[in-house]
Amino acid sequence: MSIPAIIVHGGAGHLGPDDPASSGGPDAPRLAGVRRAAAEALALLQRGGAALDAVELAVRILEDDPTYNAGTGSCLTADGEVEMDASIMEGEGLRCGAVAAVKDVQNPVSLARLVMERTEHVLLVGPGASALARAAGVPAVSNERLATAAQRARFEAARAGAPAAAPAKHGTVGAAARDRAGHLAAATSTGGTFLKRPGRVGDTPIIGAGTYADDMLAAVSCTGQGERFIRMTMARAAADLVGAGHAPAEAAAQALRRMTGRVGGDGGLIVVGPVGEPGFAHNTPVMSRAWSRADGTIEVGL
Ligand code: ASP
């Protein structure tokens, strides 16, 4: 039996105009959310729960938190709609599932898990993903309910040609974990990029780009400019660096350096190694995150 570990992120990016920290106070909501998600996932792991259940739980908590750009609170497309991407993977049998451009579920990460467990496929998109949700009894949630007033106002301001008050805050969410049995898992969920072309799919649901988990290597969840992460197969690249002997933090930093050197781009990633050591790196001003320490306490950082 080994010590369980969890690391959670709430997106890499800049502080946004709606962030309390940009007006001088502590960045309370964004850090409170990742702390709560990590704490609840850690409690599950400490009860002997599976890494797969822990990452799903952490991501669901953040999808339900309107502070983040995932699930409720997702940013809007150029058409003013919510289109969500998510994926999940377990490192024992390398099973994985993903959904892209989904418009009508509360928790895309759980739908990704249904793709993994109830179909012979890895990735379902749009209406096909919604059809699986309905067949599995997952209730439809209206797009209007997923789009918060804050995201709607941001969209209306952009449509009216208002200059952006500050660089866009990101807010993709993800988790990587190791359970007592030594198994790894990772999951990621996002509303994608603000004003994206309808149908655009980023790295989040692409296994090996936004998410990867292999007990022999590492569990990884990424956030940032998805097109660059896809081109670098970032999550798998970072996992391979751990497999080659780098500590998770060093693997994350090196993968990011390689990306900027080759294709540019910004973002960050979280990593859990095969013996449960968490690591992260980002080249953006901030990346909200929370992780468990060996003594069972949760640490947060921005
Ligand atoms: N990686 C996400 C995407 O490209 C966005 C983000 O993490 O901020 O859809």
Side-chain angles (χ1 to χ4, degrees):
M1 285 295 181
S2 49
I3 297 171
I6 178 92
I7 182 165
V8 169
H9 71 78
H14 301 262
L15 292 174
D18 56 340
D19 248 324
S22 60
S23 56
D27 196 358
R30 217 149 43 132
L31 290 184
V34 288
R35 184 189 290 282
R36 189 166 78 84
E40 292 201 19
L42 180 63
L44 184 154
L45 291 167
Q46 286 169 334
R47 292 193 299 270
L52 187 65
D53 292 329
V55 295
E56 182 186 7
L57 174 65
V59 169
R60 282 179 66 98
I61 288 169
L62 297 172
E63 285 176 340
D64 289 344
D65 186 332
T67 307
Y68 302 94
N69 172 25
T72 304
S74 288
C75 64
L76 303 186
T77 68
D79 281 356
E81 291 206 307
V82 166
E83 285 190 5
M84 303 168 292
D85 301 338
S87 62
I88 191 164
M89 182 168 187
E90 57 88 12
E92 185 184 12
L94 305 184
R95 293 181 308 145
C96 50
V99 293
V102 181
K103 298 183 179 190
D104 60 359
V105 295
Q106 173 103 8
N107 294 110
V109 71
S110 294
L111 185 53
R113 186 164 177 177
L114 283 175
V115 173
M116 177 177 108
E117 292 180 336
R118 305 254 186 111
T119 79
E120 67 275 31
H121 307 304
V122 164
L123 172 60
L124 287 182
V125 306
S130 297
L132 173 68
R134 299 301 91 79
V138 177
V141 172
S142 77
N143 209 263
E144 291 74 47
R145 243 186 72 187
L146 295 165
T148 56
Q151 290 292 356
R152 180 68 59 199
R154 186 181 176 205
F155 174 79
E156 296 302 344
R159 203 162 60 167
K169 182 190 72 169
H170 295 253
T172 292
V173 305
R178 180 179 186 273
D179 59 31
R180 283 199 194 282
H183 299 307
L184 302 181
T188 315
S189 183
T190 189
T193 49
F194 181 47
L195 300 180
K196 68 186 178 183
R197 197 180 267 267
R200 177 265 186 188
V201 175
D203 61 314
T204 300
I206 307 298
I207 298 299
T211 302
Y212 200 72
D214 182 342
D215 286 0
M216 315 276 273
L217 301 172
V220 184
S221 170
C222 299
T223 168
Q225 292 175 310
E227 285 73 7
R228 317 290 174 108
F229 281 69
I230 292 172
R231 289 161 73 191
M232 295 302 291
T233 55
M234 272 294 276
R236 176 59 197 251
D240 277 340
L241 286 166
V242 176
H246 296 282
E250 171 53 26
Q254 200 177 122
L256 213 46
R257 279 198 301 273
R258 282 187 189 173
M259 181 181 81
T260 28
R262 289 287 284 145
V263 300
D266 59 35
L269 62 162
I270 55 171
V271 182
V272 166
V275 294
E277 65 286 27
F280 63 87
H282 57 99
N283 63 4
T284 46
V286 302
M287 180 175 77
S288 59
R289 57 193 182 271
W291 65 98
S292 60
R293 298 165 65 96
D295 64 2
T297 57
I298 301 292
E299 189 151 336
V300 298
L302 191 61

